[in-house]
Amino acid sequence: MARPLVDGEQLRVGLPGAPAPPAGLEAAAVPGSHAKHGKPVQPVNLNTATADQLQTIPTIGPATAQRIIDWRTQHGRFTSVSQLRQVRGIGERKLADLKDSVTV
């Protein structure tokens, strides 16, 4: 499952001496994997996430995921999580619910 890299991303492959993730944290390496309470274990990056990855966040459905991607396409990278307020359908309450599940 490949996707193009975005400016500023780093991809590390086969680095000698790179430590393996601690036991029990394998799920954190999988984008969109969920903890007990339905939130992603690792925040989803608004600048790189696919629609499917965005939909792993509670309260984000297909329409909202597409609006986030459309905003990103029209305006460029998100510089802060609070910019989600500029996406149609995301108000203060929804932003408060999302802020711990997303990052930039």
Side-chain angles (χ1 to χ4, degrees):
M1 307 292 274
R3 66 168 175 75
L5 292 177
V6 177
D7 188 33
E9 283 186 290
Q10 294 182 7
L11 179 64
R12 296 177 174 215
V13 179
L15 293 175
L25 293 182
E26 293 82 12
V30 178
S33 58
H34 287 77
K36 263 186 176 178
H37 303 290
K39 291 184 181 177
V41 173
Q42 191 171 13
V44 174
N45 189 312
L46 293 170
N47 292 314
T48 59
T50 64
D52 288 338
Q53 290 169 329
L54 288 167
Q55 290 177 58
T56 65
I57 302 167
T59 74
I60 299 279
T64 303
Q66 189 57 53
R67 286 193 298 265
I68 290 170
I69 291 171
D70 291 344
W71 188 97
R72 188 173 69 196
T73 301
Q74 293 172 355
H75 299 93
R77 297 174 63 84
F78 285 89
T79 57
S80 71
V81 171
S82 63
Q83 281 184 305
L84 277 174
R85 281 284 289 118
Q86 298 174 17
V87 175
R88 188 172 50 87
I90 299 180
E92 287 297 325
R93 188 175 200 174
K94 192 165 194 171
L95 177 62
D97 292 342
L98 295 173
K99 68 178 180 161
D100 294 333
S101 299
V102 295
T103 189
V104 292

